Amino acid sequence: MNAVRTASGALLGLGYGVAVPWFLTARPAWLLAVAAGYGGVAAALLVHSRAGSLDEGTDPDTDRDGGNASEDRSRGA
């Protein structure tokens, strides 16, 4: 999993490294559209992710059995 995250992060960084100077000098309209689309997709996924966690009604400090997850972590369980 870490290799995938590293590779995708490197590709994203490379993309930013190429796109930002190009956008600042040439300002192609299609690149602005791609950036807006990317931001829109990222925002939609973030909203969907947060809505899914709210729908489940889970408390981050409560485990599946109803116990206190933070106490279990401190005891090493």
Side-chain angles (χ1 to χ4, degrees), residues 15 50 52-53 60 75-76:
R50 292 185 183 244
S53 64
R75 283 184 276 153

Side-chain angles (χ1 to χ4, degrees), residues 8-24 31 34-35 38-39 42:
S8 64
L11 288 172
L12 183 61
L14 179 64
Y16 279 143
V18 170
V20 169
W22 188 22
F23 178 72
L24 292 175
L31 190 58
V34 168
Y38 177 80

Side-chain angles (χ1 to χ4, degrees), residues 12-67:
L12 183 61
L14 179 64
Y16 279 143
V18 170
V20 169
W22 188 22
F23 178 72
L24 292 175
T25 57
R27 293 188 188 252
W30 66 268
L31 190 58
L32 182 59
V34 168
Y38 177 80
V41 169
L45 289 173
L46 181 62
V47 167
H48 177 71
S49 172
R50 292 185 183 244
S53 64
L54 293 176
D55 289 343
E56 293 172 5
T58 58
D59 182 2
D61 287 333
T62 303
D63 61 12
R64 292 180 186 206
D65 299 328

